[in-house]
Amino acid sequence: MATEQETKLVIITGMSGAGKTVAIQSFEDLGYYCVDNLPPALLPKFLELMRDTTNNIHKVALVMDLRGREFFDSLVESLDVVGDEDWLHEHILFLDAHDEKLVSRYKETRRSHPLAVGDLPLKGIRQERKLLDELRGRAQRIIDTTDLKPKDLREKILRAYSEEKQEIFSVHMVSFGFKYGLPIDADLVFDVRFLPNPHYVATLQPLTGLNQDVASYVFKWNDTQRFQEKVLDLLSFMLPLYKKEGKSQLVVAIGCTGGQHRSVALAEYFAKKLSPEYITHISHRDIDKRKGH
């Protein structure tokens, strides 16, 4: 069954070492379904599966390069097939860089060029450039990454391909209990075990920080109020800088002893305060991990 909505297909290709890994990661952040190193000969079959599927995938990015060089000769033919599909909007992004810069990048990573394994990188680069000359001419967008840092390339792609008003940067608030270990994916961690603990109030002990009575208890202390002000001031300073640096998500973890009361209430508070300006997500990792369960 053909999809009613036009599907966007971005084919990422270009010189080896020009930044295709950064590019595919950037498209993932934009919500594209991404496939790295798809052999060109499989492109028609992949498109057939896309069109016949019942899922809601309407943005796809594929990396095709000389890692699949035994299939690469079929790419031009496959692209002609793509052009005949009226339900598909095809776009080729070609990444390039000066030969000297590509050689320098291969030396930094100590990798061999895929067309010159065991030989000088420059030999493979020149051979690759000849093979890709026709494909470069068919590209709708060419980005020269010679003088671009990875974050600069990422920003360039996000600006070029993000949909209008689409926001990339988001903040994920996580509450947790130190007794169960630190969240391994946290960027910032705040320890709130210095605040009065509702666990020692009999009527509050079985509840969580999602309960208004627990939240009121946590927030009534002067130390809590000062902590809230200082953390919000810190985040208001740091978040724009993280966003400017090209980070797509910042994970802020709030930890108390068991992850049930104080951390939950404060994570909810900070998420609510940040939500008018940033896309916010919230999760309470240990809220249900009570003794005996």
Side-chain angles (χ1 to χ4, degrees):
M1 180 178 65
T3 57
E4 296 179 358
Q5 179 178 340
E6 185 180 58
T7 297
K8 297 179 182 179
L9 173 65
V10 178
I11 296 174
I12 304 166
T13 190
M15 297 297 294
S16 300
K20 292 188 288 293
T21 298
V22 173
I24 197 70
Q25 292 171 348
S26 301
F27 278 99
E28 285 181 344
D29 291 335
L30 287 168
Y32 279 71
Y33 180 85
C34 298
V35 180
D36 191 8
N37 195 23
L38 180 74
L42 298 182
L43 179 57
K45 184 63 177 179
F46 182 83
L47 296 178
E48 181 182 335
L49 293 173
M50 284 173 53
R51 185 169 68 173
D52 293 341
T53 188
T54 56
N55 62 36
N56 293 317
I57 298 175
H58 297 297
K59 297 193 299 182
V60 179
L62 307 176
V63 172
M64 294 182 178
D65 57 24
L66 290 180
R67 286 175 294 175
R69 56 191 178 276
E70 64 272 20
F71 301 101
F72 206 78
D73 291 340
S74 64
L75 178 55
V76 174
E77 180 181 346
S78 298
L79 292 177
D80 291 335
V81 173
V82 171
D84 295 332
E85 301 290 346
D86 56 7
W87 58 275
L88 194 65
H89 177 69
E90 167 220 343
H91 182 93
I92 299 176
L93 169 62
F94 191 98
L95 301 180
D96 203 349
H98 294 168
D99 288 358
E100 295 80 3
K101 188 64 176 181
L102 293 174
V103 170
S104 175
R105 289 173 182 171
Y106 272 104
K107 287 184 176 179
E108 290 174 0
T109 60
R110 298 183 179 181
R111 296 176 56 221
S112 298
H113 191 280
L115 295 183
V117 178
D119 206 336
L120 296 176
L122 185 58
K123 179 179 179 181
I125 290 169
R126 289 173 174 170
Q127 183 180 352
E128 181 181 29
R129 195 172 293 283
K130 291 180 181 178
L131 291 172
L132 297 182
D133 185 61
E134 181 180 352
L135 183 57
R136 191 180 194 278
R138 295 185 60 153
Q140 283 79 29
R141 186 184 299 274
I142 299 172
I143 298 179
D144 186 343
T145 69
T146 301
D147 299 318
L148 296 181
K149 297 178 181 178
K151 77 178 189 67
D152 297 327
L153 174 57
R154 171 185 165 77
E155 290 174 1
K156 192 179 245 339
I157 291 174
L158 295 183
R159 286 197 303 269
Y161 292 95
S162 61
E163 297 174 357
E164 186 178 1
K165 297 182 180 180
Q166 181 178 5
E167 181 61 73
I168 304 303
F169 182 77
S170 64
V171 181
H172 194 135
M173 303 297 305
V174 180
S175 70
F176 73 97
F178 275 94
K179 67 190 295 183
Y180 303 111
L182 286 166
I184 62 174
D185 54 353
D187 297 299
L188 299 175
V189 177
F190 294 99
D191 183 352
V192 297
R193 289 176 292 183
F194 64 93
L195 297 175
N197 193 348
H199 175 80
Y200 298 111
V201 179
T203 57
L204 303 180
Q205 185 181 63
L207 306 176
T208 73
L210 298 177
N211 182 276
Q212 184 57 49
D213 291 338
V214 174
S216 297
Y217 179 87
V218 172
F219 297 147
K220 74 178 183 178
W221 308 101
N222 289 334
D223 287 344
T224 305
Q225 295 164 19
R226 290 186 62 194
F227 174 76
Q228 291 170 307
E229 293 174 2
K230 290 181 180 295
V231 170
L232 283 177
D233 183 56
L234 179 64
L235 292 177
S236 68
F237 168 73
M238 297 179 70
L239 293 182
L241 297 178
Y242 277 115
K243 184 177 179 179
K244 181 180 179 181
E245 187 65 19
K247 195 170 183 64
S248 62
Q249 181 188 67
L250 188 75
V251 180
V252 181
I254 312 290
C256 61
T257 303
Q260 183 179 339
H261 297 111
R262 294 164 291 181
S263 62
V264 172
L266 284 163
E268 290 283 335
Y269 170 83
F270 289 126
K272 183 177 181 180
K273 285 292 185 179
L274 294 173
S275 61
E277 189 171 357
Y278 300 98
I279 295 175
T280 57
H281 308 280
I282 188 166
S283 60
H284 302 298
R285 193 192 71 177
D286 302 325
I287 194 170
D288 295 319
K289 293 181 180 177
R290 301 181 183 182
K291 188 175 180 180
H293 290 76

